[in-house]
Amino acid sequence: NSFCTLLELRVLTERSRETHLKHKHAMWSFGSYARDDLAEYRAHYPRNADDPRRSDNVRFYRNEIKCRPEAVTIDEVHEEWRGEYSFLERCHSYIQWLFPIQESGLNPQAQVLQKHEIATMKGDPAVIQRVKKSFSMMLDFYGFELTGGADRLDPPIVPLKDRKWQFDNLNYSGHNYLRITRILKFLGEMGLEGHKTAWLEALENAIYEAKELPNCRSSFENYWTGTIYDDATRKQFAERIAARPPPPPREYGSWFSSAISSAWAADDDATTAKTDAKSSTAATSQAASAAAAPSQPRAGSEAPSQAGTGSEAPAPAAGEKPTAPAAEGDPK
């Protein structure tokens, strides 16, 4: 039993180590992908070919067509969806229309942003005003607001006074981190780099100073700040991040090892208890058999007397049945 337990322990320990190494490799692969993706974005996707026949994003932001599958115009979105937090959270198809980028998304009915569309949209003041309204609507959904006028190049962005629902949702609804990456990229494509930087500064304060958005830290450090085009500004964010204390370790492998070690210890205790109980039961049965069976005298010896020695069970009184001594822990 001891050998089998040690063998199982060795096998499970190796499996735990393999799982931990796979987890670390997956995290390294994710970091490599993030760096490549952000570098391609900052280089304006040099490998993407423009298709002049496709202009759905321009037409949508000019209020000429409706997004699909919701079938509403951009003006209707701004009028009807602002503040509809539950809908904005559970619906996953509008984000590709409001914030198109040069990457495909989860909505097959939304069009990838084309290079000629970027130039057209940036040069259309009405489109840019609608882009700012879309951004303001999503800021409100995430618990922030623009102050000092959205027309400023770097408008101050601050948390809402009543933001508990939004911040709680942002902390525990991870799919919004991908949405935020998309929003930040689109702001850059539209020439609203100041809006992007202002929001990143507000997020930085909420994550590190106010400590209200701790779960956003990884995305902020590994993705969101990487969307900044300007090298000097991006470097400033990176230096501030590097100067901060590291986050508490997730201790993935340690927690897993501790958990399975506790389980093994519990199993060992249970196995020991069962073994002890079986041994005790067997000893009791043997004692009962010995007490109940008549003694056979050996050749040349006398029969044992009825008044046995101190180690023998006393003879039962007339009319009584012989009883075995109760095992420890058993009811008598």
Side-chain angles (χ1 to χ4, degrees), residues 4-22:
C4 291
T5 301
L6 290 173
L7 183 60
E8 290 172 0
L9 179 65
R10 176 66 180 271
V11 170
L12 289 172
T13 301
E14 289 299 319
R15 287 179 181 173
S16 173
R17 181 173 177 275
E18 290 174 5
T19 303
H20 182 53
L21 291 175
K22 287 179 181 177

Side-chain angles (χ1 to χ4, degrees), residues 55 58-66 73-74:
S55 298
V58 172
R59 296 174 64 203
F60 175 66
Y61 260 100
R62 284 179 172 172
N63 214 45
E64 297 174 355
I65 62 172
K66 298 180 178 182
T73 65
I74 185 63

Side-chain angles (χ1 to χ4, degrees), residues 250-314:
R250 289 180 177 271
E251 298 183 345
Y252 170 84
S254 300
W255 175 87
F256 186 76
S257 298
S258 176
I260 61 175
S261 295
S262 299
W264 293 334
D267 288 343
D268 289 344
D269 291 342
T271 301
T272 302
K274 289 179 181 178
T275 302
D276 291 343
K278 287 180 180 179
S279 299
S280 178
T281 302
T284 302
S285 299
Q286 291 176 0
S289 298
S295 300
Q296 300 294 332
R298 288 185 300 229
S301 66
E302 298 180 358
S305 63
Q306 292 294 325
T309 63
S311 61
E312 296 173 351

